[in-house]
Amino acid sequence: MSETFDEATTLKRRTFVAASTAVAGLPLLNSDRLPTATAAAAPAPADRLSTVRLTVNGEQRTARVDNRTSLLDLLREHLDLPGTKKGCDQGACGACTVLVDDRRVNACLTLAVMHQGAHVTTIEGLARGEQLHPLQQAFIDHDGLQCGYCTPGQVMSGVACIAEGHTGSRAEIREWMSGNLCRCGAYTNIVSAIEQTAKEA
């Protein structure tokens, strides 16, 4: 009885794995066909590299990167500015929002090579020494952050929202900040922080 049960279970498992693989359209893994660590780490060919020069937080910066490098990865991986966060990496959450020539941009959706000569402002460039930007201070005053992961993108988008003049009402602020998600749900306090800063500007 136990032998029959074990054979039946094994058969079901094999059938399940085979069916799942077929549905997903994936071949079963073959270790001989997997890329080696050396192949995965191979540098990009020279014809796929570009030198990008831009001004970041008021400082001239230069980096040689793969043409496929996003602005987000340029900032984080090449220029050592990790304040801009990588959230969804699909432009849906706004955690990577920066200002490019004073316009808010999802840094994960744009290539670094597209911004040759641009002026980029990240969260690291808002404060003046020990003095926080008014919106950064307002986020603290209104408890507009919890885990803090989305906060850099929220603040950068909020700075643009104020500069664009979209602060006529709390509803308008919510509408123009809707591209920035807060998984902790601090939206009411974020709106209050932007509203206060806009009134004091």
Side-chain angles (χ1 to χ4, degrees), residues 54-75:
L54 62 171
T55 303
V56 182
N57 300 328
E59 181 183 346
Q60 293 282 338
R61 303 295 298 269
T62 302
R64 189 156 175 80
V65 297
D66 188 304
N67 293 333
R68 299 166 296 177
T69 301
S70 68
L71 178 59
L72 174 60
D73 286 337
L74 172 69
L75 294 170

Side-chain angles (χ1 to χ4, degrees), residues 43-52 64-69 113:
D47 62 350
R48 278 213 321 248
L49 297 175
S50 293
T51 299
V52 179
R64 189 156 175 80
V65 297
D66 188 304
N67 293 333
R68 299 166 296 177
T69 301
V113 294

Side-chain angles (χ1 to χ4, degrees), residues 83-95:
T84 304
K85 301 306 181 191
K86 181 176 282 195
C88 65
D89 212 21
Q90 297 176 349
C93 73

Side-chain angles (χ1 to χ4, degrees), residues 2-153:
S2 61
E3 291 181 3
T4 305
F5 176 78
D6 288 344
E7 289 174 5
T9 304
T10 302
L11 181 60
K12 287 180 182 176
R13 286 180 183 154
R14 287 181 183 159
T15 305
F16 173 77
V17 171
S20 299
T21 305
V23 169
L26 300 173
L28 291 174
L29 290 178
N30 180 343
S31 59
D32 296 334
R33 300 174 68 182
L34 292 176
T36 63
T38 306
D47 62 350
R48 278 213 321 248
L49 297 175
S50 293
T51 299
V52 179
R53 295 180 179 86
L54 62 171
T55 303
V56 182
N57 300 328
E59 181 183 346
Q60 293 282 338
R61 303 295 298 269
T62 302
R64 189 156 175 80
V65 297
D66 188 304
N67 293 333
R68 299 166 296 177
T69 301
S70 68
L71 178 59
L72 174 60
D73 286 337
L74 172 69
L75 294 170
R76 290 180 58 84
E77 309 299 333
H78 297 273
L79 302 183
D80 195 27
L81 292 167
T84 304
K85 301 306 181 191
K86 181 176 282 195
C88 65
D89 212 21
Q90 297 176 349
C93 73
C96 66
T97 304
V98 297
L99 302 182
V100 178
D101 295 329
D102 296 325
R103 294 182 60 199
R104 47 181 152 176
V105 169
N106 286 340
C108 73
L109 288 184
T110 185
L111 297 175
V113 294
M114 296 171 63
H115 300 287
Q116 196 74 253
H119 290 258
V120 178
T121 305
T122 70
I123 192 69
E124 291 93 343
L126 284 188
R128 294 292 174 261
E130 296 297 315
Q131 183 179 357
L132 294 177
H133 184 280
L135 186 56
Q136 290 175 306
Q137 185 60 55
F139 263 67
I140 295 170
D141 295 343
H142 290 276
D143 198 22
L145 62 153
Q146 290 187 40
C147 81
Y149 197 83
C150 75
T151 305

